[in-house]
Amino acid sequence: MAKVLMKGNEAIGAAAIKAGCHYFFGYPITPQNEIPEYMSRELPKVDGVFLQAESEVAAINMVYGAAGAGARVMTSSSSPGIALKQEGISYIAGAELPCVIVNIVRGGPGLGGIQPAQSDYYQATRGGGNGDYRHVVYAPSTLQETVDLVMESFDVAEQYRIPVMVVGDGMIGQMMEPVEFKKPKERSLAEKTWATTGTKGKRKPNIINSLFIDPQELEDHVHKLERKHEEIKKNETRFEEYNVEDADVVCVAYGTTSRIVKNAIKKCEEDGLKVGLIRPITLWPFPESAFEKITDKTKGLLAVEMSTGQMIDDVKIAIKGKKPVYFHGRTGGMVPNPTDIENEIRKIAGGEK
Amino acid sequence: MQERVVIAGFGGQGVMSMGQLLTYAGMIENKHVSWLPSYGPEMRGGTANCNVMVSDDPIGSPIVTEATTAVVMNLPSLYKFEDDVVKDGHLLINSSLIEEEANRDDVEVYYIPANKIAVELGNAKVANMVMLGAYLELTKIVKVESVVEALKKVFGESKAHLIPLNEKALAKGAEQVK
């Protein structure tokens, strides 16, 4: 299929429908409104259901219901709206149901602002909801990658029966780039024998539940989830790396910030500096193995985020104290400037830090 | 080759669509492209701008910090973006609405009476296409034919009758900088 020029939010909607998602429940919030707008226009054309719920809490519970019935279902929101959905996400994770949640992040805390931010890293990777659960978090940096990951998210969610979150920011949502819709690699997906589709008098009722009163039963259940999480870590961790082995400084950045960092790296390279990049594509699981390639030559790591420093925790865990980890960030909707990043890299490379 | 363009003006002057057409045309020519709008609590008559990248290589940041060209359709945009243009870059000023001259003497400045030309062509709305025509003549970053092809896709059947007017506006704009 030929490339088309699309706005990020619309491309997310189109990718979901192409991946077979026919159910969308949401509540409006900037800067992701083009997603529900697109879904409200396009889902009826494929006999799907678009429903604007009375709140984010209602929307995520509608997702819970549709997922329980075995449907491919998605919701989208932005930061404070995703905060409201956390209870539902925890229930869906506990009940082992597949669904896709898109967060087009805006500045916080509270209502915050509407400009791009990455200040929901903790919320996305540490679980804003209660209990011992994880869910997959993808952080695309281009619209092509966004489309690819949204399409694959539905397969990943079904393969592991787990919520998958796709995290973008206002820039990913609002910008236009050419995209091509390609089928994700084939996965063997088991039949949804657990779905509540009606017994037709032929089997025992399926029960979708996250309540386990007996502690032993709950521990067994949580261990089952844990084994699943380990499988995902093994099979689904994804990252991009660039010149890590040979670098004086290794930058770590994800999403749109990584694109700005790439510009800064290019400028440093013009002066003969060797600068590497680790770009996590999955924020959970965090690509810890990518840090094993860092050699003694590297003077330090630089985490760059649109926050006051959240992913940097995972960077420190991954580097196991072997190298100093520095931070550069802008927050509140301000976007890092390539020149500032460049200066930070030069300081680390020159031993000023 | 990489063009980093800022296009700015009042909401309603067609700055967003000017940028989208350039982006679309770049895509038609298999170049790497991106379009990034300013977004926020904005309204008609307020300021609007977009960043466009057209490049032979993959695009890093879609944010234009060192613009190779700035197209400014109104005075606030001149003030805001004049300093962002790199040395020897292009600064295209809509002289129908901007009476002031540029402060920069290290960039190539072009004064184009875009609204006047558009009105002479019979439709003030094509002022943006006049500016785009001038821009394409200066940089040749994409072919005019690719922009026309993009227009056809954007307009669709129902507005196809507007294509000749837009083509004329592109040509008139180009004449201004020849």
Side-chain angles (χ1 to χ4, degrees):
Chain A
M1 205 188 136
K3 283 188 175 175
V4 285
L5 188 65
M6 285 184 97
K7 205 172 199 188
N9 283 335
E10 293 190 333
I12 288 169
I17 295 175
K18 282 196 197 298
C21 167
H22 286 186
Y23 300 89
F24 181 94
F25 307 98
Y27 187 81
I29 183 170
T30 307
Q32 62 83 54
N33 281 326
E34 293 87 353
I35 301 176
E37 186 187 1
Y38 183 89
M39 292 311 236
S40 68
R41 189 174 71 228
E42 298 299 324
L43 275 177
K45 294 181 189 168
V46 292
D47 291 326
V49 171
F50 165 86
L51 202 148
Q52 182 172 315
E54 68 270 36
S55 73
E56 286 86 349
V57 178
I60 192 69
N61 282 293
M62 290 173 187
V63 169
Y64 187 7
R72 286 205 156 183
V73 55
M74 180 168 94
T75 185
S76 67
S77 191
S78 180
S79 309
I82 296 290
L84 287 165
K85 290 184 200 283
Q86 292 300 332
E87 178 195 57
I89 295 170
S90 170
Y91 278 49
I92 295 168
E96 291 193 272
L97 295 177
C99 70
V100 175
I101 302 145
V102 177
N103 183 5
I104 301 297
V105 182
R106 57 189 250 175
L111 273 181
I114 59 171
Q115 298 298 323
Q118 295 182 318
S119 40
D120 293 354
Y121 184 92
Y122 285 155
Q123 186 200 51
T125 61
R126 290 341 189 226
N130 63 296
D132 250 341
Y133 78 99
R134 306 283 190 280
H135 59 64
V136 179
V137 185
Y138 288 118
S141 72
T142 65
L143 293 200
Q144 183 60 56
E145 193 175 44
T146 305
V147 160
D148 293 344
L149 289 175
V150 166
M151 290 181 79
E152 196 171 356
S153 286
F154 289 94
D155 289 347
V156 172
E158 282 182 14
Q159 182 176 338
Y160 299 97
R161 291 178 60 187
I162 196 167
V164 176
M165 185 177 277
V166 179
V167 171
D169 59 53
M171 213 182 307
I172 288 278
Q174 296 297 322
M175 73 186 288
M176 289 177 105
E177 277 184 323
V179 292
E180 196 178 353
F181 297 94
K182 298 168 285 190
K183 259 201 177 329
K185 71 163 188 199
E186 201 81 31
R187 289 172 188 260
S188 59
L189 299 174
E191 209 185 320
K192 296 171 183 170
T193 49
W194 44 266
T196 51
T197 49
T199 64
K200 298 174 185 78
K202 287 179 183 161
R203 60 163 168 79
K204 281 191 176 167
N206 285 335
I207 296 168
I208 305 285
N209 187 23
S210 70
L211 179 67
F212 298 84
I213 289 294
D214 173 11
Q216 188 55 60
E217 208 188 325
L218 181 55
E219 188 184 47
D220 292 345
H221 176 65
V222 172
H223 281 318
K224 182 186 168 209
L225 297 184
E226 191 187 10
R227 286 193 295 276
K228 183 163 78 178
H229 299 152
E230 290 306 317
E231 267 308 285
I232 293 172
K233 281 186 192 172
K234 207 169 69 194
N235 301 335
E236 307 297 338
T237 305
R238 236 180 265 182
F239 61 91
E240 177 194 348
E241 63 174 5
Y242 171 78
N243 283 353
V244 170
E245 280 167 71
D246 198 27
D248 300 317
V249 178
V250 174
C251 298
V252 190
Y254 68 94
T256 41
T257 306
S258 68
R259 300 178 64 153
I260 304 167
V261 170
K262 281 181 182 174
N263 282 27
I265 290 176
K266 213 176 229 178
K267 281 276 170 80
C268 291
E269 283 174 341
E270 285 168 12
D271 297 337
L273 279 182
K274 292 199 167 148
V275 187
L277 173 70
I278 293 172
R279 178 175 73 88
I281 297 171
T282 48
L283 303 184
W284 191 88
F286 192 75
E288 292 183 15
S289 64
F291 294 75
E292 287 164 10
K293 282 194 183 168
I294 292 173
T295 62
D296 288 343
K297 190 178 168 247
T298 298
K299 290 177 178 157
L301 276 62
L302 177 66
V304 186
E305 302 176 55
M306 288 193 281
S307 76
T308 53
Q310 300 189 11
M311 177 194 65
I312 189 172
D313 290 5
D314 282 332
V315 175
K316 285 177 178 169
I317 292 169
I319 197 68
K320 301 186 176 92
K322 286 180 201 156
K323 296 283 169 192
V325 182
Y326 303 99
F327 178 74
H328 178 73
R330 296 297 299 270
T331 188
M334 297 300 290
V335 176
N337 180 310
T339 315
D340 293 339
I341 300 169
E342 204 188 312
N343 290 339
E344 293 300 314
I345 294 170
R346 285 179 200 281
K347 275 190 214 163
I348 298 167
E352 270 182 64
K353 277 205 148 181
Chain B
M1 177 122 109
Q2 189 186 54
E3 266 290 296
R4 304 181 294 274
V5 195
V6 176
I7 304 172
F10 289 127
Q13 275 184 309
V15 296
M16 295 301 188
S17 44
M18 202 193 314
Q20 282 182 9
L21 283 171
L22 177 59
T23 311
Y24 212 129
M27 184 184 78
I28 289 170
E29 295 188 9
N30 282 319
K31 293 188 160 74
H32 294 273
V33 293
S34 69
W35 175 87
L36 178 71
S38 60
Y39 72 92
E42 294 175 17
M43 56 184 180
R44 188 165 293 269
T47 56
N49 72 77
C50 62
N51 290 181
V52 176
M53 298 275 192
V54 183
S55 175
D56 291 331
D57 302 311
I59 292 160
S61 168
I63 307 164
V64 172
T65 45
E66 295 168 322
T68 52
T69 300
V71 179
V72 295
M73 297 296 285
N74 65 358
L75 188 59
S77 301
L78 175 63
Y79 290 156
K80 195 170 176 189
F81 295 109
E82 182 174 13
D83 291 339
D84 290 352
V85 182
V86 293
K87 187 175 171 294
D88 301 324
H90 302 291
L91 176 57
L92 277 65
I93 295 176
N94 175 13
S95 58
S96 293
L97 299 183
I98 304 171
E99 288 174 1
E100 288 183 27
E101 289 196 359
N103 288 317
R104 298 279 298 271
D105 55 12
D106 60 341
V107 298
E108 292 178 38
V109 186
Y110 298 89
Y111 298 92
I112 299 147
N115 288 68
K116 182 169 164 272
I117 293 168
V119 170
E120 283 165 10
L121 288 170
N123 190 335
K125 283 183 189 166
V126 293
N128 60 344
M129 300 304 287
V130 173
M131 293 302 266
L132 184 57
Y135 168 76
L136 294 179
E137 177 65 27
L138 288 170
T139 62
K140 309 256 193 262
I141 186 74
V142 295
K143 295 191 196 82
V144 175
E145 296 83 65
S146 304
V147 172
V148 175
E149 202 184 321
L151 265 172
K152 283 178 187 161
K153 291 200 171 144
V154 174
F155 276 163
E157 285 294 316
S158 64
K159 289 184 185 163
H161 63 282
L162 294 170
I163 302 273
L165 172 67
N166 280 274
E167 280 180 298
K168 266 186 223 159
L170 286 166
K172 280 279 177 195
E175 275 174 27
Q176 293 291 309
V177 295
K178 264 180 190 163

